[in-house]
Amino acid sequence: MESAERVEKGLPLTQALAQALQHGTSIGGARPKAQITDGERKYIAKFSSSTDLYSVVKVEFVAMRLAALAGIDVAPVKLVHTAARDVLLVERFDRRFTPAGWQRMAMVSSLTLLGLDEMMARYASYAELAEIIRHRFAQPKQMLRELFARLTFNILCGNTDDHARNHSAFWDGQQLRLTPAYDICPQHRVGNEATQAMLIRGDNRRSQLKVCVDAADQFLLADHEARNIIDAQIDSIRTHWDAVGDEAELTTVDKALLWQRQFLNPHAFEGYSISNAG
């Protein structure tokens, strides 16, 4: 925590703090992070910042927990409070403890699967990723359904940072399969309109459920199957919102700031109607 605060203030780290914060390979991302080992589990610790307009780590915790409750395969998370700050602990799924010690799971990002570099990332699309899943992944129909569910949940929770590095796959030497979802972090927005980081269908990346339903065939889903996934997610978010918010100790102001802005923003529902949408 001290290391993260010094970095935020532009102060140099002591050698001891630098080692504590920077041990192991880089885990990237914009926010200060550290790798934590606790017995037979490893975590990525994400720190809050004094410049946050709201508790970003709490909001990511809420989104990750709601995603899990909606049936999405996500990395387990914990929210802890230490040194007067919130810290999000995300359990690492790319490491496993064995009698021989720690082993690393072979992973590849969707950016690599799509053959793109960082400069070309804006051209990444769910359609092309879905095609790769159809031809190169184990259990492609299940994986496509999972990817579609992640796309629609991102839209429902306001996560527009769903770029190709935030989708990854395990590689066992023969086949690929999606890793658990991670970095589901709703982004701050002032107005309603928003776009996803990856194209959804053609050149359309609008953060709207109708666009997803129009693209359902790319995921080998019928129209009614796509709608069932979406409707179940909406119902789950509404059902668990208060309980998960209380678990994260969101204030009334926090909830008012997030509800129907990041989570279930009306823009997502334009052109899409269900009996309990509103």
Side-chain angles (χ1 to χ4, degrees):
M1 184 66 75
E2 183 183 347
S3 298
E5 289 177 355
R6 292 181 70 88
V7 168
E8 188 178 39
K9 294 175 181 177
L11 300 174
L13 298 178
T14 66
Q15 184 175 357
L17 289 179
Q19 289 176 346
L21 188 65
Q22 299 172 356
H23 73 87
T25 54
S26 172
I27 47 181
R31 301 183 67 81
K33 302 181 183 72
Q35 301 181 70
I36 307 294
T37 301
D38 182 15
E40 296 183 1
R41 287 183 172 83
K42 284 183 178 288
Y43 297 92
I44 294 173
K46 296 186 175 184
F47 303 110
S48 57
S49 169
S50 61
T51 61
D52 289 340
L53 298 177
Y54 57 94
S55 181
V56 175
V57 295
K58 279 187 177 183
V59 174
E60 183 171 348
F61 171 82
V62 168
M64 292 285 282
R65 289 283 292 117
L66 286 173
L69 290 166
I72 296 171
D73 179 22
V74 300
V77 292
K78 294 181 181 180
L79 188 65
V80 298
H81 193 75
T82 182
R85 292 283 187 90
D86 295 311
V87 181
L88 178 67
L89 298 180
V90 184
E91 188 171 334
R92 298 198 69 160
F93 49 75
D94 60 338
R95 302 288 190 274
R96 62 185 177 188
F97 187 78
T98 71
W102 286 99
Q103 292 184 347
R104 177 180 294 193
M105 305 282 286
M107 281 175 51
V108 59
S109 75
S110 293
L111 192 68
T112 299
L113 289 174
L114 292 167
L116 301 173
D117 58 27
E118 296 289 356
M119 297 298 293
M120 302 291 286
R122 66 185 181 278
Y123 298 111
S125 75
Y126 280 98
E128 291 185 22
L129 179 55
E131 183 175 359
I132 292 171
I133 290 175
R134 288 197 297 271
H135 294 289
R136 299 177 58 188
F137 276 57
Q139 300 177 302
K141 189 169 180 62
Q142 178 182 330
M143 294 292 100
L144 286 168
R145 184 183 181 89
E146 174 72 14
L147 181 63
F148 182 83
R150 295 181 187 188
L151 164 60
T152 56
F153 188 85
N154 280 334
I155 289 174
L156 288 170
C157 78
N159 176 32
T160 55
D161 194 34
D162 57 338
H163 56 78
R165 283 204 180 279
N166 280 345
H167 297 283
S168 295
F170 290 126
W171 169 247
D172 65 5
Q174 294 184 324
Q175 288 183 308
L176 296 154
R177 61 186 175 90
L178 289 174
T179 69
Y182 55 93
D183 285 354
I184 302 177
C185 187
Q187 305 297 302
H188 179 67
R189 61 203 284 180
V190 178
N192 284 335
E193 293 189 9
T195 55
Q196 298 305 117
M198 286 175 55
L199 297 165
I200 299 173
R201 186 177 186 88
D203 61 357
N204 194 339
R205 61 175 84 237
R206 291 197 305 276
S207 305
Q208 294 182 311
L209 300 173
K210 180 183 183 300
V211 178
C212 298
V213 174
D214 290 343
D217 60 311
Q218 298 172 169
F219 301 87
L220 301 184
L221 293 170
D223 184 279
H224 73 276
E225 291 176 310
R227 289 179 176 273
N228 286 342
I229 291 171
I230 294 169
D231 295 354
Q233 289 181 349
I234 296 168
D235 183 62
S236 181
I237 291 171
R238 286 178 168 156
T239 299
H240 299 290
W241 171 253
D242 285 329
V244 174
D246 292 343
E247 188 179 353
E249 298 183 349
L250 291 180
T251 66
T252 302
V253 173
D254 290 333
K255 289 183 178 180
L257 177 68
L258 299 170
W259 189 249
Q260 294 193 325
R261 293 190 184 183
Q262 276 84 345
F263 292 86
L264 304 189
N265 189 292
H267 177 66
F269 294 97
E270 291 179 8
Y272 182 91
S273 61
I274 59 174
S275 59
N276 63 342

